[in-house]
Amino acid sequence: MALSARVLLAFCAASAVLATPHRGSTFAGATSSAVFPPPDATNTGLDAYFPGPEQVGHAGPTPTGDEPLVLATAPVAPQKEDVYPLVNPVEAQTPIEKPAFDPVRSWGNLSPWFSVGGIWGLPDASAIVPSGCELTQVHLLHRHGARYPTSGSGPSEFAAKVHAAATSESGFSASGLLDFLNTWTYKLGAELLTPFGRQQLFDLGAAFRVQYGHLLNDFNDLPVFRTTSEARMVDSALHFAAGFFGVQQYQDAYHQLIIIEDDGFNNTLAPWTTCPNANNDVANIGIDAAANWTEIYLKDTVPRLQKDLQGVELDSSDVKAMQDLCAYETVALGYSAFCDLFTEEEWKGYEYAFDLELWYSYGPGNPASAAQGIGYVQELIARLTQTPLTEFSTSLNGTLDGSNVTFPLNQPIYVDATHDTVISTILTALNFTSMAANGPLPVDHIPKDQTYTGQHITPFASNLVGQVMSCPASGNSSKEKTSYIRFLLNDGVVPLTGIAHCSANKDGLCAVDDFVEGMKERIAEVDYVYDCYANYTAPWPDPIIDGRMHK
C-alpha cells in the first residue's frame, strides 16, 4: 500500500475516534481562546524602524472642512439598519429576500442597536431638527458596544455541561439540527467588547460627528466626556472618541473622565454600587419573573431538542443558554449555528423574557429603579441650567460632580457611557411614561401592543440623545425664540407627556424651563434613601409603574 494511502487511512481512523457519526468528540464544549499579540512578541526593540506620522512627516494637504449638521441640512434623518459584518441568521437562510421576522431584533438587550422609528408614540416625528429651530446643545448617554457574556453565566455553564458529558465514560451524541454540537467548542471570552462591539462605538462616534459636529465650534475649552472604569466601558468611550474626533486626533482633542465602578464608589453611571436594594431580593424580582416565563415559553422546545441529543439532559435554562449563544456567538464570531434551532414564536418568547427582567429589575416595575437613575437626572438639570451641584445625597459623586473641571457646565456637547440597566433606570427616573403604557407586564403571557421592549430600549450601543434647540415660541408670531428640549432614544422621538409642565407636542418638544421645573418635581418625589436603603419587600403581584416604592 502506498505511504500516502496508509497516512490517509490512519488519519481517518484517528478522526473516527474523535467523532464518529452523531457521537460527540471529547473536546466538545471545551473552551478555546486566542491571545494577540503573541505572549513572547515585543516591538520595543524595533520601534526605531517604525516612526510615527509626526516623525515621518509628508502628510500631504490637510485643510479641514466645516463641521457637519446633517440633522438640519438633510431632508430626512439617517437610519441605522444593518449589522455588517455579522451574518444575520435569516440572511444565511434566504440571502436574496429577507423575511418579515428578524431574530436579531428579538434578542432583547443583546440585539445590536437600530433606528426604531416612531415606536415611542410619535410616528410622524423625525430626528431632523424641526423647521425654524436651531440646535444649540446635545446630551448623549450611550451603552457600551456588543460584548462577551457575563462571567459564569448561562452560555459558559452550558458549555461546561456539554464538555462534562463529552469527557464522561459514556460520552454524548447529537444528531439532526444539533449535529454541530459533536464538534462545537466554546470560543467566547467574558464581558470584554467584541470586534463588532468596538466597531459599533466607532461608528456611533463618527455618526455623532456628522449629526452634531457643528456644536464643536462653540467650545472654548476641550470637552470632558465620561465613562466608568470597567474595561468594556473604557474601550467603548475610546472607540467613540476615535470615531468622533478621528484616530490621529482624539487623544489630544478632549478629556476622558473615568469614574470608578466598584462597591462603595458614588457613580451616576453605575448607581447600583451605592444602592443596597439594587443588589438583593428587591432587584431579583425581574430575574425571577423572567425565569418563570422561560419555563413557560420553552416547555415544548426542551423535548423537541432533546430528541436529537443523548447523554446530555436538557432543561429550560440550557435551552435559554442556547438562545443566548446564538446572540453572543453572532456578535462575537459573526455567525452561530445555534440560531437555526428556534422558531419565530420561541424567539418572541426569548425577547419577552428580557422585557420582564428589564421591567421588574431595572425599569418602571422595580421600586428602587427611579432612585438609581435620579442622580443622572440631577446632573442633567445642572447642565441645562448651568447651576453647580451642592447637595450629594444620591448617587452623585461629590468630588467629581462638585468640580467645574471634572463636571463642566458650559459644554455644547455632553457624552456619557454607561450600561443597559442604568439607561433603563434613568429612563424611569425621567418618567418617560409612553414606554410604560401597558404595564405592569403579565408574567405568564405576552401582552398585545407591548410598549416596553428591551431590543428597542437597551440594545448594544443604545443611545439616548437630548437635543436642546432654539425655536419660535409657541403662539408667538414675533421673531422671539424659546429654548426647547426633546429626547431621541435610538433615533425615535420620545413623548414627554409624563413630565409635569410638558404637554403633547408633535415633535416631542418641551420648553426647557418647563422641563426643568418638571424634573425638579420628579427629583423631589423620589425618596432615594428610602427606596435604596429601607428594609422592605417588593410587592407581588407588582403594581408599580413609576420605579418607586410607595409607602
Side-chain angles (χ1 to χ4, degrees), residues 294 297-298 316-325 350 353-354:
T294 298
Y297 86 85
L298 289 178
S316 61
S317 62
D318 295 324
V319 177
K320 162 68 162 50
M322 294 163 83
Q323 291 184 290
D324 291 340
L325 280 161
Y350 179 75
F354 280 108

Side-chain angles (χ1 to χ4, degrees), residues 51-74:
E54 293 182 357
Q55 289 75 35
V56 172
H58 304 279
T62 58
T64 59
D66 200 358
E67 289 292 350
L69 177 55
V70 71
L71 293 182
T73 58

Side-chain angles (χ1 to χ4, degrees), residues 165-219:
T167 54
S168 67
E169 185 175 346
S170 55
F172 86 101
S173 62
S175 59
L177 288 174
L178 295 178
D179 184 66
F180 72 92
L181 275 182
N182 290 314
T183 55
W184 171 76
T185 58
Y186 186 71
K187 298 180 175 66
L188 303 177
E191 307 191 31
L192 295 175
L193 290 187
T194 68
F196 174 68
R198 298 197 295 268
Q199 176 195 328
Q200 283 187 294
L201 267 297
F202 184 91
D203 289 351
L204 187 65
F208 206 70
R209 182 67 173 263
V210 172
Q211 293 168 324
Y212 303 105
H214 80 293
L215 293 175
L216 289 172
N217 295 329
D218 298 328
F219 274 90

